[in-house]
């Protein structure tokens, strides 16, 4: 049976792919976005679909719509963007969560929170399991995002305990793919854009720090599976690719795929940058029957192809 689904941050990188997936399954999608990091270009190919609706709206203000499910994705997710206006970032996570939880409570519908591996901070436990409480600096430059997401999780579970609301909390690990913002400062988009432009690839630190990279289609599949679980399943559930790669390994893979002659340039590590990040996904396997299927190289090839097209289009528009 089709549902009417609200996606906050729906014109963003992940939200646009989620919109596609839900529409393909026959659902109606109301996509809201304030376009701080999202873009109409990410969803313009959906405008002709009569089951898709796009609204400009900021989740820090209440919203009154009638829906069957809510995916709360609204929040800038890269340091470049969430540190641009840290107070607004915290408000988006906290006030936005309050507004969307209030809507879910009024409608008595399930709501999924797009949380993050950043709730683990610079982890002292490796790989990270859902019962690890994290190692987070509450007053650092990344705290607006890290602590904002932690507070949002608190609100979700308090609404569950106090109102028996059907909540789903997913902790998203590094995700990449087409429609990433080219200037978001995240490592995959950074490396690819720099390589395609022939600029030096910037690695912070010595490049030995690790991340685990999940292709966006795999992530969206995990989100949809979690949303459609029984009322008793709340999460938090880690969703990410447990394959661990150093920054140097990622840079070399990007250089090989792009055929770039870019050099590698080392810079100082930013404050509170985690040295390791790898999900334990045993819970996702058990509760959702989920694990990633797209290998890093295959995902990178699709992402490089997307960014090549974006850069070529930008050049053509400047020439015009």
């Amino acid at each position: 049976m089709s549902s009417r689904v609200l996606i906050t941050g729906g014109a963003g990188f992940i939200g646009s792919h989620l919109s596609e997936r839900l529409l393909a399954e026959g659902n109606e999608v109301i996509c809201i976005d304030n376009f701080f990091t999202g873009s109409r270009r990410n969803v313009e190919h959906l405008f002709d679909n009569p089951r898709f609706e796009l609204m400009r709206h900021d989740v820090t203000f209440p919203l009154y719509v009638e829906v069957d499910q809510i995916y709360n994705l609204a929040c800038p997710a890269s340091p470049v963007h969430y540190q641009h206006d840290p107070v607004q970032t915290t408000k988006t996570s906290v006030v936005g969560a309050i507004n969307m939880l209030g809507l879910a409570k009024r409608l008595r519908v399930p709501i999924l929170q797009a949380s993050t591996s950043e709730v683990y901070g610079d982890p002292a436990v490796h790989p990270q399991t859902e019962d690890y409480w994290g190692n987070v600096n509450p007053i650092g430059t990344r705290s607006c995002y890290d602590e904002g997401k932690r507070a949002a999780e608190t609100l979700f579970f308090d609404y569950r305990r106090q109102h028996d609301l059907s909540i789903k909390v997913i902790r998203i690990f590094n995700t990449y793919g087409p429609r990433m913002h080219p200037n978001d400062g995240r490592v995959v988009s950074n490396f690819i854009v720099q390589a395609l432009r022939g600029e030096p690839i910037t690695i912070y630190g010595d490049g030995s720090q690790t991340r685990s990279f999940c292709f966006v289609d795999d992530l969206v599949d995990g989100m949809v599976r979690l949303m459609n679980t029984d009322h008793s399943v709340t999460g938090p559930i880690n969703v990410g690719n447990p394959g661990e790669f150093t920054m140097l390994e990622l840079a070399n893979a990007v250089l090989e795929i792009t055929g770039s002659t870019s050099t590698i340039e080392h810079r100082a590590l930013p404050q509170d940058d985690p040295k390791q990040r790898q999900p334990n996904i045993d819970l996702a396997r058990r509760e959702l029957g989920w694990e990633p299927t797209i290998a890093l190289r295959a995902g990178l090839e699709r992402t490089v192809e997307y960014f090549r097209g974006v850069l070529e289009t930008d050049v053509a528009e400047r020439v015009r």
Side-chain angles (χ1 to χ4, degrees), residues 8-22:
T8 74
F13 160 47
I14 294 172
S16 64
H17 286 275
L18 178 60
S19 295
E20 281 181 342
R21 166 71 181 262
L22 293 173

Side-chain angles (χ1 to χ4, degrees), residues 123-134:
V125 171
H126 188 77
Q128 292 80 59
T129 55
E130 290 85 353
D131 58 0
Y132 175 53
W133 290 356

Side-chain angles (χ1 to χ4, degrees), residues 2 31 66 105 122 155 165 179 197 215 242 298 308 312:
S2 65
C31 164
E66 303 295 320
K105 177 190 168 191
D122 188 3
L155 285 161
L165 193 62
R179 299 190 209 122
R197 288 175 172 163
F215 192 69
R308 204 186 294 276
E312 287 173 357

Side-chain angles (χ1 to χ4, degrees), residues 13-176:
F13 160 47
I14 294 172
S16 64
H17 286 275
L18 178 60
S19 295
E20 281 181 342
R21 166 71 181 262
L22 293 173
L23 288 168
E25 292 178 350
N27 300 291
E28 294 180 48
V29 171
I30 300 177
C31 164
I32 72 167
D33 209 294
N34 69 352
F35 301 114
F36 174 56
T37 58
S39 168
R40 288 175 62 88
R41 184 160 73 173
N42 287 340
V43 291
E44 64 185 4
H45 62 293
L46 304 176
F47 289 172
D48 291 336
N49 190 320
R51 289 179 283 106
F52 179 77
E53 181 179 353
L54 176 64
M55 297 171 55
R56 181 186 288 271
H57 182 81
D58 190 313
V59 293
T60 60
F61 298 93
L63 179 69
Y64 302 99
V65 292
E66 303 295 320
V67 293
D68 304 306
Q69 295 179 340
I70 301 170
Y71 288 82
N72 187 37
L73 277 61
C75 190
S78 74
V80 167
H81 291 139
Y82 65 64
Q83 291 170 359
H84 172 73
D85 188 345
V87 172
Q88 184 63 25
T89 295
T90 303
K91 287 172 67 176
T92 300
S93 286
V94 177
V95 179
I98 291 170
N99 286 333
M100 290 304 111
L101 285 162
L103 179 62
K105 177 190 168 191
R106 179 177 71 82
L107 299 174
R108 302 307 302 176
V109 300
I111 178 169
L112 181 144
Q113 167 67 3
S115 192
T116 171
S117 60
E118 297 297 333
V119 300
Y120 299 121
D122 188 3
V125 171
H126 188 77
Q128 292 80 59
T129 55
E130 290 85 353
D131 58 0
Y132 175 53
W133 290 356
N135 177 36
V136 177
N137 177 0
I139 58 171
T141 57
R142 300 169 69 102
S143 306
C144 57
Y145 184 70
D146 301 1
E147 296 288 32
K149 289 289 191 177
R150 286 162 69 94
E153 286 196 14
T154 300
L155 285 161
F156 267 69
F157 279 91
D158 283 339
Y159 265 79
R160 169 73 170 197
R161 286 183 283 263
Q162 193 167 335
H163 304 294
D164 195 34
L165 193 62
S166 183
I167 66 160
K168 314 289 178 182
V169 176
I170 187 169
R171 288 180 178 164
I172 299 171
F173 282 68
N174 288 63
T175 302
Y176 70 101

